[in-house]
Amino acid sequence: MFAERYAHFSNIHTIYRDLLSGHYKPSVNVNEDPLKAPEKFEITNVGTTAMFMLYAYFYSMVEDDPQGVNGFRVWRAAWPEEEKAIAAVEALVTPLRSGLKLFRNRLGFHGSRSRAHEKAGLDLFSQHSGTAVWEAMANFKSLGAALFKKDLDRQQGIDPSAARQWIDQIAARCAAIP
């Protein structure tokens, strides 16, 4: 279940990144520049929709509810020897969890019946920079890919040194983020 959910998260991440870079041009909002900040928050912009989905999916991958699919629990069970890298990524995510939960619940998946109710979900942006959230997501995505590569390399009898180097680089990159 985790691998499937991770694949969906990775796909949405790719779509959003491509949208921001101008690589992907949706058939709606084609006259808008995705790199230019709108004068006001445009709730119906395709980029906003993609961001809402990405943040909501991300939270679903890291929520600490025992009934949820928590990537850190899955990774620790499957790759306990990678605790250093797992803990490094989790340290980036932990401060974001409560804000991401409200965002997911009020804007991403569950929704709100009023702007006043939505506001608590949008507070994520006043509490954390978009860069902090993006780095947490990017490192989570990268570690997941590196761990899957490690497992595939092992299954195929391939030298694990490339995966090992990738995992170590992620841990080091996370540790260097203030």
Side-chain angles (χ1 to χ4, degrees), residues 134-168:
W134 185 257
E135 286 177 350
M137 281 192 281
N139 282 293
F140 180 87
K141 182 178 176 282
S142 187
L143 182 58
L147 292 171
F148 285 132
K149 177 175 177 30
K150 178 182 177 179
D151 204 42
L152 285 172
D153 287 354
R154 181 190 52 79
Q155 291 174 23
Q156 296 173 355
I158 297 172
D159 178 12
S161 60
R164 166 83 276 129
Q165 183 179 9
W166 191 7
I167 293 166
D168 291 342

mmCIF file of all heavy atoms in Angstrom, residues 134-168:
data_model
loop_
_atom_site.group_PDB
_atom_site.id
_atom_site.type_symbol
_atom_site.label_atom_id
_atom_site.label_comp_id
_atom_site.label_asym_id
_atom_site.label_seq_id
_atom_site.Cartn_x
_atom_site.Cartn_y
_atom_site.Cartn_z
ATOM 1 N N TRP A 134 8.776 22.538 0.763
ATOM 2 C CA TRP A 134 9.277 21.944 -0.482
ATOM 3 C C TRP A 134 10.499 21.061 -0.212
ATOM 4 O O TRP A 134 10.602 19.953 -0.750
ATOM 5 C CB TRP A 134 9.617 23.039 -1.487
ATOM 6 C CG TRP A 134 10.022 22.487 -2.813
ATOM 7 C CD1 TRP A 134 11.289 22.395 -3.309
ATOM 8 C CD2 TRP A 134 9.166 21.921 -3.806
ATOM 9 N NE1 TRP A 134 11.270 21.812 -4.556
ATOM 10 C CE2 TRP A 134 9.978 21.502 -4.891
ATOM 11 C CE3 TRP A 134 7.789 21.725 -3.891
ATOM 12 C CZ2 TRP A 134 9.464 20.916 -6.030
ATOM 13 C CZ3 TRP A 134 7.279 21.130 -5.036
ATOM 14 C CH2 TRP A 134 8.103 20.737 -6.086
ATOM 15 N N GLU A 135 11.441 21.543 0.606
ATOM 16 C CA GLU A 135 12.636 20.750 0.917
ATOM 17 C C GLU A 135 12.270 19.476 1.662
ATOM 18 O O GLU A 135 12.847 18.410 1.398
ATOM 19 C CB GLU A 135 13.631 21.578 1.734
ATOM 20 C CG GLU A 135 14.350 22.619 0.915
ATOM 21 C CD GLU A 135 15.287 23.483 1.739
ATOM 22 O OE1 GLU A 135 15.270 23.425 2.982
ATOM 23 O OE2 GLU A 135 16.057 24.239 1.122
ATOM 24 N N ALA A 136 11.321 19.557 2.567
ATOM 25 C CA ALA A 136 10.890 18.359 3.287
ATOM 26 C C ALA A 136 10.291 17.347 2.314
ATOM 27 O O ALA A 136 10.619 16.153 2.359
ATOM 28 C CB ALA A 136 9.890 18.724 4.380
ATOM 29 N N MET A 137 9.425 17.828 1.426
ATOM 30 C CA MET A 137 8.813 16.930 0.439
ATOM 31 C C MET A 137 9.863 16.342 -0.500
ATOM 32 O O MET A 137 9.836 15.139 -0.793
ATOM 33 C CB MET A 137 7.766 17.677 -0.387
ATOM 34 C CG MET A 137 6.469 17.849 0.312
ATOM 35 S SD MET A 137 5.159 18.413 -0.788
ATOM 36 C CE MET A 137 5.543 20.140 -0.907
ATOM 37 N N ALA A 138 10.746 17.186 -1.002
ATOM 38 C CA ALA A 138 11.757 16.721 -1.956
ATOM 39 C C ALA A 138 12.676 15.681 -1.320
ATOM 40 O O ALA A 138 13.019 14.670 -1.948
ATOM 41 C CB ALA A 138 12.568 17.902 -2.481
ATOM 42 N N ASN A 139 13.063 15.911 -0.079
ATOM 43 C CA ASN A 139 13.925 14.946 0.599
ATOM 44 C C ASN A 139 13.185 13.656 0.936
ATOM 45 O O ASN A 139 13.756 12.565 0.865
ATOM 46 C CB ASN A 139 14.561 15.571 1.832
ATOM 47 C CG ASN A 139 15.714 16.467 1.460
ATOM 48 O OD1 ASN A 139 16.741 16.003 0.968
ATOM 49 N ND2 ASN A 139 15.551 17.770 1.642
ATOM 50 N N PHE A 140 11.908 13.758 1.300
ATOM 51 C CA PHE A 140 11.086 12.575 1.540
ATOM 52 C C PHE A 140 10.986 11.748 0.247
ATOM 53 O O PHE A 140 11.190 10.536 0.252
ATOM 54 C CB PHE A 140 9.691 12.989 2.022
ATOM 55 C CG PHE A 140 8.784 11.834 2.303
ATOM 56 C CD1 PHE A 140 8.778 11.231 3.551
ATOM 57 C CD2 PHE A 140 7.940 11.344 1.321
ATOM 58 C CE1 PHE A 140 7.939 10.150 3.810
ATOM 59 C CE2 PHE A 140 7.104 10.269 1.568
ATOM 60 C CZ PHE A 140 7.101 9.668 2.816
ATOM 61 N N LYS A 141 10.678 12.426 -0.846
ATOM 62 C CA LYS A 141 10.558 11.759 -2.141
ATOM 63 C C LYS A 141 11.884 11.117 -2.538
ATOM 64 O O LYS A 141 11.921 9.978 -2.999
ATOM 65 C CB LYS A 141 10.113 12.771 -3.204
ATOM 66 C CG LYS A 141 9.909 12.192 -4.583
ATOM 67 C CD LYS A 141 9.425 13.288 -5.532
ATOM 68 C CE LYS A 141 9.295 12.801 -6.944
ATOM 69 N NZ LYS A 141 10.567 12.715 -7.647
ATOM 70 N N SER A 142 12.959 11.834 -2.352
ATOM 71 C CA SER A 142 14.278 11.331 -2.721
ATOM 72 C C SER A 142 14.673 10.118 -1.875
ATOM 73 O O SER A 142 15.177 9.123 -2.411
ATOM 74 C CB SER A 142 15.308 12.455 -2.568
ATOM 75 O OG SER A 142 16.551 12.059 -3.068
ATOM 76 N N LEU A 143 14.431 10.187 -0.570
ATOM 77 C CA LEU A 143 14.791 9.048 0.273
ATOM 78 C C LEU A 143 13.957 7.823 -0.100
ATOM 79 O O LEU A 143 14.485 6.708 -0.158
ATOM 80 C CB LEU A 143 14.636 9.372 1.761
ATOM 81 C CG LEU A 143 15.048 8.241 2.705
ATOM 82 C CD1 LEU A 143 16.512 7.830 2.481
ATOM 83 C CD2 LEU A 143 14.813 8.639 4.156
ATOM 84 N N GLY A 144 12.667 8.026 -0.358
ATOM 85 C CA GLY A 144 11.845 6.894 -0.786
ATOM 86 C C GLY A 144 12.405 6.238 -2.038
ATOM 87 O O GLY A 144 12.519 5.010 -2.130
ATOM 88 N N ALA A 145 12.768 7.045 -3.021
ATOM 89 C CA ALA A 145 13.326 6.512 -4.265
ATOM 90 C C ALA A 145 14.649 5.786 -4.006
ATOM 91 O O ALA A 145 14.895 4.707 -4.565
ATOM 92 C CB ALA A 145 13.522 7.635 -5.281
ATOM 93 N N ALA A 146 15.486 6.353 -3.152
ATOM 94 C CA ALA A 146 16.782 5.729 -2.857
ATOM 95 C C ALA A 146 16.602 4.394 -2.128
ATOM 96 O O ALA A 146 17.321 3.420 -2.420
ATOM 97 C CB ALA A 146 17.637 6.680 -2.022
ATOM 98 N N LEU A 147 15.652 4.335 -1.208
ATOM 99 C CA LEU A 147 15.409 3.083 -0.488
ATOM 100 C C LEU A 147 14.834 2.012 -1.419
ATOM 101 O O LEU A 147 15.225 0.840 -1.343
ATOM 102 C CB LEU A 147 14.482 3.318 0.705
ATOM 103 C CG LEU A 147 15.087 4.161 1.834
ATOM 104 C CD1 LEU A 147 14.019 4.520 2.859
ATOM 105 C CD2 LEU A 147 16.269 3.450 2.487
ATOM 106 N N PHE A 148 13.923 2.417 -2.301
ATOM 107 C CA PHE A 148 13.407 1.457 -3.273
ATOM 108 C C PHE A 148 14.523 0.983 -4.203
ATOM 109 O O PHE A 148 14.582 -0.194 -4.559
ATOM 110 C CB PHE A 148 12.246 2.051 -4.076
ATOM 111 C CG PHE A 148 10.955 2.135 -3.304
ATOM 112 C CD1 PHE A 148 10.221 3.300 -3.302
ATOM 113 C CD2 PHE A 148 10.471 1.051 -2.583
ATOM 114 C CE1 PHE A 148 9.018 3.385 -2.597
ATOM 115 C CE2 PHE A 148 9.272 1.119 -1.878
ATOM 116 C CZ PHE A 148 8.547 2.287 -1.888
ATOM 117 N N LYS A 149 15.423 1.898 -4.591
ATOM 118 C CA LYS A 149 16.555 1.504 -5.438
ATOM 119 C C LYS A 149 17.447 0.504 -4.701
ATOM 120 O O LYS A 149 17.873 -0.498 -5.287
ATOM 121 C CB LYS A 149 17.378 2.719 -5.851
ATOM 122 C CG LYS A 149 18.613 2.341 -6.678
ATOM 123 C CD LYS A 149 19.366 3.528 -7.187
ATOM 124 C CE LYS A 149 20.614 3.189 -7.949
ATOM 125 N NZ LYS A 149 20.680 1.942 -8.682
ATOM 126 N N LYS A 150 17.696 0.771 -3.441
ATOM 127 C CA LYS A 150 18.521 -0.140 -2.640
ATOM 128 C C LYS A 150 17.910 -1.542 -2.638
ATOM 129 O O LYS A 150 18.606 -2.537 -2.831
ATOM 130 C CB LYS A 150 18.646 0.387 -1.208
ATOM 131 C CG LYS A 150 19.430 -0.516 -0.295
ATOM 132 C CD LYS A 150 19.490 0.031 1.121
ATOM 133 C CE LYS A 150 20.233 -0.940 2.023
ATOM 134 N NZ LYS A 150 20.340 -0.457 3.387
ATOM 135 N N ASP A 151 16.601 -1.609 -2.446
ATOM 136 C CA ASP A 151 15.920 -2.894 -2.402
ATOM 137 C C ASP A 151 15.955 -3.591 -3.768
ATOM 138 O O ASP A 151 16.214 -4.789 -3.861
ATOM 139 C CB ASP A 151 14.479 -2.697 -1.931
ATOM 140 C CG ASP A 151 13.899 -3.950 -1.324
ATOM 141 O OD1 ASP A 151 14.614 -4.643 -0.564
ATOM 142 O OD2 ASP A 151 12.723 -4.241 -1.599
ATOM 143 N N LEU A 152 15.689 -2.819 -4.828
ATOM 144 C CA LEU A 152 15.733 -3.408 -6.178
ATOM 145 C C LEU A 152 17.141 -3.889 -6.535
ATOM 146 O O LEU A 152 17.309 -4.961 -7.129
ATOM 147 C CB LEU A 152 15.250 -2.399 -7.217
ATOM 148 C CG LEU A 152 13.749 -2.163 -7.256
ATOM 149 C CD1 LEU A 152 13.410 -0.999 -8.188
ATOM 150 C CD2 LEU A 152 13.012 -3.422 -7.683
ATOM 151 N N ASP A 153 18.148 -3.097 -6.193
ATOM 152 C CA ASP A 153 19.536 -3.498 -6.459
ATOM 153 C C ASP A 153 19.850 -4.812 -5.744
ATOM 154 O O ASP A 153 20.466 -5.706 -6.324
ATOM 155 C CB ASP A 153 20.517 -2.415 -6.021
ATOM 156 C CG ASP A 153 20.514 -1.197 -6.938
ATOM 157 O OD1 ASP A 153 19.829 -1.227 -7.991
ATOM 158 O OD2 ASP A 153 21.174 -0.201 -6.585
ATOM 159 N N ARG A 154 19.425 -4.927 -4.492
ATOM 160 C CA ARG A 154 19.659 -6.151 -3.722
ATOM 161 C C ARG A 154 18.971 -7.338 -4.400
ATOM 162 O O ARG A 154 19.579 -8.385 -4.582
ATOM 163 C CB ARG A 154 19.145 -5.983 -2.289
ATOM 164 C CG ARG A 154 19.372 -7.207 -1.404
ATOM 165 C CD ARG A 154 18.639 -7.120 -0.074
ATOM 166 N NE ARG A 154 17.231 -6.820 -0.192
ATOM 167 C CZ ARG A 154 16.277 -7.716 -0.526
ATOM 168 N NH1 ARG A 154 16.603 -8.957 -0.784
ATOM 169 N NH2 ARG A 154 15.004 -7.351 -0.594
ATOM 170 N N GLN A 155 17.713 -7.141 -4.805
ATOM 171 C CA GLN A 155 16.956 -8.225 -5.445
ATOM 172 C C GLN A 155 17.591 -8.661 -6.763
ATOM 173 O O GLN A 155 17.523 -9.839 -7.126
ATOM 174 C CB GLN A 155 15.515 -7.791 -5.689
ATOM 175 C CG GLN A 155 14.689 -7.632 -4.439
ATOM 176 C CD GLN A 155 13.316 -7.049 -4.736
ATOM 177 O OE1 GLN A 155 12.816 -7.139 -5.852
ATOM 178 N NE2 GLN A 155 12.710 -6.449 -3.730
ATOM 179 N N GLN A 156 18.194 -7.720 -7.473
ATOM 180 C CA GLN A 156 18.768 -8.017 -8.794
ATOM 181 C C GLN A 156 20.260 -8.342 -8.730
ATOM 182 O O GLN A 156 20.901 -8.543 -9.759
ATOM 183 C CB GLN A 156 18.524 -6.847 -9.739
ATOM 184 C CG GLN A 156 17.046 -6.622 -10.003
ATOM 185 C CD GLN A 156 16.773 -5.365 -10.812
ATOM 186 O OE1 GLN A 156 17.677 -4.584 -11.109
ATOM 187 N NE2 GLN A 156 15.517 -5.154 -11.160
ATOM 188 N N GLY A 157 20.815 -8.368 -7.521
ATOM 189 C CA GLY A 157 22.230 -8.683 -7.355
ATOM 190 C C GLY A 157 23.154 -7.596 -7.869
ATOM 191 O O GLY A 157 24.288 -7.863 -8.249
ATOM 192 N N ILE A 158 22.665 -6.344 -7.863
ATOM 193 C CA ILE A 158 23.453 -5.208 -8.344
ATOM 194 C C ILE A 158 24.217 -4.602 -7.166
ATOM 195 O O ILE A 158 23.728 -4.557 -6.040
ATOM 196 C CB ILE A 158 22.530 -4.151 -8.999
ATOM 197 C CG1 ILE A 158 21.857 -4.750 -10.230
ATOM 198 C CG2 ILE A 158 23.281 -2.875 -9.342
ATOM 199 C CD1 ILE A 158 20.786 -3.869 -10.845
ATOM 200 N N ASP A 159 25.413 -4.114 -7.448
ATOM 201 C CA ASP A 159 26.234 -3.449 -6.433
ATOM 202 C C ASP A 159 25.428 -2.335 -5.771
ATOM 203 O O ASP A 159 24.929 -1.432 -6.461
ATOM 204 C CB ASP A 159 27.486 -2.874 -7.101
ATOM 205 C CG ASP A 159 28.388 -2.107 -6.141
ATOM 206 O OD1 ASP A 159 28.197 -2.193 -4.924
ATOM 207 O OD2 ASP A 159 29.280 -1.404 -6.645
ATOM 208 N N PRO A 160 25.288 -2.350 -4.451
ATOM 209 C CA PRO A 160 24.458 -1.366 -3.747
ATOM 210 C C PRO A 160 25.144 -0.018 -3.495
ATOM 211 O O PRO A 160 24.559 0.853 -2.859
ATOM 212 C CB PRO A 160 24.163 -2.066 -2.416
ATOM 213 C CG PRO A 160 25.389 -2.883 -2.167
ATOM 214 C CD PRO A 160 25.837 -3.356 -3.544
ATOM 215 N N SER A 161 26.348 0.169 -4.002
ATOM 216 C CA SER A 161 27.097 1.383 -3.655
ATOM 217 C C SER A 161 26.425 2.665 -4.146
ATOM 218 O O SER A 161 26.500 3.705 -3.485
ATOM 219 C CB SER A 161 28.542 1.305 -4.152
ATOM 220 O OG SER A 161 28.576 1.164 -5.550
ATOM 221 N N ALA A 162 25.757 2.648 -5.290
ATOM 222 C CA ALA A 162 25.089 3.857 -5.791
ATOM 223 C C ALA A 162 23.936 4.245 -4.871
ATOM 224 O O ALA A 162 23.778 5.421 -4.521
ATOM 225 C CB ALA A 162 24.592 3.652 -7.219
ATOM 226 N N ALA A 163 23.139 3.272 -4.468
ATOM 227 C CA ALA A 163 22.040 3.549 -3.540
ATOM 228 C C ALA A 163 22.593 4.014 -2.192
ATOM 229 O O ALA A 163 22.068 4.948 -1.581
ATOM 230 C CB ALA A 163 21.156 2.319 -3.366
ATOM 231 N N ARG A 164 23.670 3.368 -1.750
ATOM 232 C CA ARG A 164 24.277 3.730 -0.468
ATOM 233 C C ARG A 164 24.743 5.190 -0.495
ATOM 234 O O ARG A 164 24.506 5.961 0.428
ATOM 235 C CB ARG A 164 25.461 2.788 -0.206
ATOM 236 C CG ARG A 164 26.423 3.163 0.888
ATOM 237 C CD ARG A 164 25.958 2.743 2.294
ATOM 238 N NE ARG A 164 25.064 3.724 2.859
ATOM 239 C CZ ARG A 164 23.861 3.451 3.387
ATOM 240 N NH1 ARG A 164 23.396 2.233 3.417
ATOM 241 N NH2 ARG A 164 23.100 4.397 3.883
ATOM 242 N N GLN A 165 25.390 5.587 -1.587
ATOM 243 C CA GLN A 165 25.871 6.955 -1.725
ATOM 244 C C GLN A 165 24.696 7.942 -1.749
ATOM 245 O O GLN A 165 24.754 8.997 -1.117
ATOM 246 C CB GLN A 165 26.708 7.089 -2.991
ATOM 247 C CG GLN A 165 27.311 8.462 -3.169
ATOM 248 C CD GLN A 165 28.156 8.552 -4.437
ATOM 249 O OE1 GLN A 165 28.172 7.662 -5.274
ATOM 250 N NE2 GLN A 165 28.867 9.657 -4.563
ATOM 251 N N TRP A 166 23.641 7.602 -2.458
ATOM 252 C CA TRP A 166 22.453 8.450 -2.558
ATOM 253 C C TRP A 166 21.817 8.647 -1.181
ATOM 254 O O TRP A 166 21.507 9.771 -0.780
ATOM 255 C CB TRP A 166 21.483 7.818 -3.533
ATOM 256 C CG TRP A 166 20.309 8.648 -3.964
ATOM 257 C CD1 TRP A 166 20.074 9.971 -3.672
ATOM 258 C CD2 TRP A 166 19.206 8.223 -4.756
ATOM 259 N NE1 TRP A 166 18.884 10.378 -4.244
ATOM 260 C CE2 TRP A 166 18.335 9.315 -4.918
ATOM 261 C CE3 TRP A 166 18.879 7.010 -5.345
ATOM 262 C CZ2 TRP A 166 17.148 9.225 -5.640
ATOM 263 C CZ3 TRP A 166 17.700 6.931 -6.079
ATOM 264 C CH2 TRP A 166 16.853 8.029 -6.215
ATOM 265 N N ILE A 167 21.655 7.571 -0.435
ATOM 266 C CA ILE A 167 21.062 7.644 0.908
ATOM 267 C C ILE A 167 21.924 8.514 1.814
ATOM 268 O O ILE A 167 21.411 9.366 2.562
ATOM 269 C CB ILE A 167 20.859 6.230 1.488
ATOM 270 C CG1 ILE A 167 19.784 5.497 0.682
ATOM 271 C CG2 ILE A 167 20.512 6.285 2.970
ATOM 272 C CD1 ILE A 167 19.714 3.995 0.927
ATOM 273 N N ASP A 168 23.232 8.330 1.762
ATOM 274 C CA ASP A 168 24.137 9.133 2.591
ATOM 275 C C ASP A 168 24.083 10.615 2.215
ATOM 276 O O ASP A 168 24.154 11.490 3.075
ATOM 277 C CB ASP A 168 25.569 8.604 2.488
ATOM 278 C CG ASP A 168 25.729 7.240 3.146
ATOM 279 O OD1 ASP A 168 24.870 6.838 3.957
ATOM 280 O OD2 ASP A 168 26.732 6.557 2.840
#
